[in-house]
Amino acid sequence: MVAVVIAGLVVAALAGCTAGTAEPTPVAATPTRVPVATATAAPAPAVRPELGAQANLAYFNQVAAAVDLATGGRGFVDALVAAGFDKTMIEVGFDKTSVNLDADSVQFSVRFPDGCLIGQNGSKSGGYHSMVTSAISTGRCLVGATRQIDW
């Protein structure tokens, strides 16, 4: 008797699963707009004098580190000017010593209202180095005699 009841329940349960399957209700297709991320190119590096010396250090380094040391001080000046630095604010040391030997390194700088970017490059000075510092008491960035930038 118990077996008949269980069998009846199983048959009823299975009948409920298979009987009366409804057709799927069609849903109107509506286009979904998925925002597409557009890549915006980062602005090209540029001199930003209004931001001061520290904010321009990375760009100064990028420009100066790419200069061929064989071009000497003029190469650094020309590269900085081509990159947008104000030529009237640039100072550069001499390529030759007072006894006409190649200088151990070339020093160059760009003055900003709030300080100076100073770069130095040379094989005997360990390659390229830079720093941000205050102008000296004369208002200049480099100590001692500097080369006249007359080109």
Side-chain angles (χ1 to χ4, degrees), residues 123-138:
S123 58
K124 294 184 180 176
S125 62
Y128 179 72
H129 303 280
S130 68
M131 64 185 289
V132 178
T133 188
S134 300
I136 57 177
S137 63
T138 62

Side-chain angles (χ1 to χ4, degrees), residues 37-106:
T38 56
T40 56
V47 178
R48 302 285 308 270
E50 72 280 5
L51 299 180
Q54 184 66 50
N56 284 283
L57 179 61
Y59 185 50
F60 175 81
N61 287 339
Q62 177 184 337
V63 172
V67 173
D68 180 359
L69 189 55
T71 61
R74 184 175 184 144
F76 290 103
V77 172
D78 291 348
L80 291 167
V81 170
F85 288 90
D86 183 349
K87 190 175 193 176
T88 64
M89 297 292 132
I90 297 174
E91 298 173 36
V92 64
F94 292 97
D95 298 336
K96 299 282 186 183
T97 67
S98 59
V99 292
N100 206 31
L101 298 174
D102 288 338
D104 289 343
S105 65
V106 176

